[in-house]
Amino acid sequence: MQKIYFYITTPLYYVNDKPHIGHAYTTLAADVLARHKRARQIPVFFQTGTDEHGSNIEKIAVDMNMDPKAWCDAVSGEFKRMWKVLNINYDHFIRTTDPEHEKRVQAVFERLIKTGDIYPGRYSGLYCRPCEAFFEESELKNGCCPVHGTPAEKVSEETYFFKLSKYQKPLLEHYAGNPDFLAPRHRAREIINFAKSGLKDISVSRTKVTWGIKVTSNPSHTVYVWFDALLNYVTGPGFDADTSVDAFQMKWPADVHLVGKEIFRFHAVTWPAMLMALGLELPRQVFAHGWWTVNGEKMSKSKGNFIDPEVVAREYGADALRYFIFREAPFGADGDFSMEAFRRRYNADLANDLGNLLSRVLNMAAKYIENRLPGKPEAAKLFDTISAWGPEIDEKIDTMRFGEALDRIWQAVSMLNKEIDRQKPWVMAKDEPESVRPFLNDLVWCLRAIAGWLYSFMPDTSTRMQLALGIGRTGTEDLETSKPPQLFPRKL
Ligand code: MSP
């Protein structure tokens, strides 16, 4: 069985809190890419989900006086609901508490014990509970976790180790031989240097954590959450450590794992080494995007400055949010979210530039040419210019340069607005009524191209534009336009 699907993943989100703008960012990026592929008839498998085991989650549930599973069900449900609000079309939502996942993780663990890639030992080290990760003394800042700023705990326990050290050389060879594996390029150096500095075997089981997947051959151990969670990328599509599964063969290897920069190392070092141990192909790319701050500050519980994507989407529409986060900062770099910046872009880019352009053109089409178009323009100046940008926009989306794709689309939008101001169709209509028809036709065709390009970013807006521009549900082009919908009402 051969690979058929373009397989895209997001990280599995911890169910320690409600989804916020940072979680939405990765999932939306996956959705943009997935929609873009599907629109070109490429079969896509887009997987997201929730990471539900570990002491953090158990502690929260206990604090809330809830059974851990009931807590996970509730928060996992919140993620699913949020993805609906944001119009995210995933194919599979995996939970690490799914019985199939648990069973498959256990089988992998046993298999790696058999091959010697996992072996028993004892671990002493410095542990950050919120990260669920061990740190070297040198990585800590004054004894505190570099990510959370909270003190690392001294931990000593019996544990199983995964032989990460064995894969140092093959990993470095893989990075060298596959320059697109680590993306964007500017983040690759850090990973390569880390791997070069020497990889130590890592602890992959816990005796003190009860809320986890039990190691079958030694049930006093549970599988370390990261080892459990990373395996989702193969258990989700159906990997079985013991037999070959068609559904899995049709999807693996993943085409891209989208992750935030803080978990790049897990995905670029630990995960590929685990795959090598299992004799599986490596994903084609791991892409690490940047982080959002809010009004220049890190989002945190103590500051209470989380942006709730649902609140923004309810007031401005999911499409406006989908647009903003990809236009405001290059994917791959960090960005700052502020409601002022959001409102500015909403009013300027969406209500003014795009919304007005559509209503201007459609109102003129109604007034001057009774909504009737003469057909695909021949020798149309604007359409010829603008439609030639299509392949470049496609390529930018494919390589996850989302901001650049949107820049290019807005360049087209402003070009059309300027052209209308310059050519003044209302004057043309008075002087030479027939001369206005080809010009408006040209504009409508340009807008049809723009509506198509916007589909993966703003699916709802794109569909409404296409209907008004006379592109039928079946994708066929009518020769009539209709009344402009109000896409983005201005907000104060
Ligand atoms: N459960 C692990 C991932 C396991 S994957 C096998 C985890 N979960 S998380 O809930 O903390 O979510 C992490 C992801 O959320 C990051 O990789 C990133 O995609 C996203 N973000 C969380 N906060 C963010 C920002 N402030 N800005 C942008 N994205 C960030 O790590």
Side-chain angles (χ1 to χ4, degrees), residues 10-16 20-27 50-51 79 225-226 228-233 258-263 267 289-293 298-299:
T10 75
L12 298 194
Y13 304 106
Y14 286 131
V15 289
N16 49 6
H20 60 63
I21 194 84
H23 307 127
Y25 191 40
T26 326
T27 322
T50 41
D51 188 353
F79 274 90
V225 277
W226 269 100
D228 156 5
L230 285 166
L231 282 168
N232 91 85
Y233 301 126
L258 288 168
V259 300
K261 63 178 181 180
E262 85 290 7
I263 56 172
H267 287 82
H289 65 67
W291 263 46
W292 286 96
T293 49
K298 197 171 165 181
M299 276 190 278

Side-chain angles (χ1 to χ4, degrees), residues 44-61:
V44 168
F45 186 66
F46 162 14
Q47 177 169 287
T48 188
T50 41
D51 188 353
E52 307 188 0
H53 291 126
S55 54
N56 278 324
I57 314 279
E58 185 176 19
K59 185 170 177 314
I60 292 174

Side-chain angles (χ1 to χ4, degrees), residues 334-387:
D334 292 337
D336 185 55
F337 192 101
S338 74
M339 277 319 287
E340 292 75 69
F342 181 87
R343 242 175 309 231
R344 208 177 314 127
R345 281 211 181 271
Y346 177 91
N347 284 324
D349 303 2
L350 298 177
N352 261 359
D353 294 351
L354 180 67
N356 275 353
L357 172 64
L358 182 75
S359 58
R360 276 172 113 180
V361 170
L362 291 176
N363 284 331
M364 288 191 289
K367 191 159 166 197
Y368 302 131
I369 60 170
E370 305 82 43
N371 288 329
R372 298 200 71 77
L373 305 172
K376 197 160 193 148
E378 272 170 43
K381 216 173 110 246
L382 292 168
F383 186 68
D384 285 351
T385 309
I386 283 178
S387 56

Side-chain angles (χ1 to χ4, degrees), residues 137-359:
E137 184 95 55
S138 59
E139 292 176 305
L140 299 176
K141 285 193 187 142
N142 298 325
C144 292
C145 163
V147 182
H148 293 92
T150 46
E153 297 166 39
K154 275 219 162 70
V155 172
S156 172
E157 61 183 37
E158 192 186 283
T159 192
Y160 282 94
F161 284 98
F162 170 65
K163 266 195 196 154
L164 185 60
S165 57
K166 172 174 160 192
Y167 296 100
Q168 175 172 0
K169 200 160 160 263
L171 281 171
L172 284 167
E173 280 166 9
H174 189 80
Y175 304 146
N178 299 272
D180 290 333
F181 179 65
L182 302 172
R185 269 324 279 167
H186 70 268
R187 293 198 198 282
R189 184 73 2 232
E190 170 204 328
I191 296 293
I192 297 169
N193 288 344
F194 173 73
K196 275 192 182 149
S197 72
L199 297 178
K200 290 197 183 131
D201 293 352
I202 53 167
S203 153
V204 290
S205 77
R206 298 285 181 271
T207 50
K208 296 202 183 83
V209 178
T210 48
W211 180 241
I213 302 175
K214 282 194 169 23
V215 173
T216 314
S217 55
N218 189 352
S220 59
H221 286 249
T222 54
V223 177
Y224 171 47
V225 277
W226 269 100
F227 194 87
D228 156 5
L230 285 166
L231 282 168
N232 91 85
Y233 301 126
V234 293
T235 62
F239 173 70
D240 190 306
D242 305 313
T243 55
S244 158
V245 175
D246 284 355
F248 175 69
Q249 305 297 339
M250 279 149 70
K251 291 159 196 133
W252 196 257
D255 291 273
V256 56
H257 290 316
L258 288 168
V259 300
K261 63 178 181 180
E262 85 290 7
I263 56 172
F264 197 26
R265 206 189 274 181
F266 282 109
H267 287 82
V269 181
T270 318
W271 175 232
M274 287 164 65
L275 289 166
M276 286 175 178
L278 286 167
L280 289 173
E281 253 184 88
L282 302 201
R284 300 207 164 132
Q285 183 168 74
V286 183
F287 190 105
H289 65 67
W291 263 46
W292 286 96
T293 49
V294 173
N295 297 317
E297 294 194 318
K298 197 171 165 181
M299 276 190 278
S300 78
K301 255 196 194 156
S302 54
K303 290 201 190 92
N305 59 350
F306 286 110
I307 295 283
D308 182 344
E310 183 170 6
V311 172
V312 181
R314 296 256 181 248
E315 179 163 359
Y316 296 90
D319 279 0
L321 179 64
R322 295 174 63 112
Y323 168 76
F324 179 82
I325 59 170
F326 295 117
R327 184 79 199 274
E328 183 70 4
F331 195 62
D334 292 337
D336 185 55
F337 192 101
S338 74
M339 277 319 287
E340 292 75 69
F342 181 87
R343 242 175 309 231
R344 208 177 314 127
R345 281 211 181 271
Y346 177 91
N347 284 324
D349 303 2
L350 298 177
N352 261 359
D353 294 351
L354 180 67
N356 275 353
L357 172 64
L358 182 75
S359 58

Side-chain angles (χ1 to χ4, degrees), residues 29 66 71 90 93 148 229 290 354 433 462 472 483:
M66 276 174 89
W71 167 264
Y90 53 80
F93 190 100
H148 293 92
L354 180 67
S462 162
K483 240 179 83 181

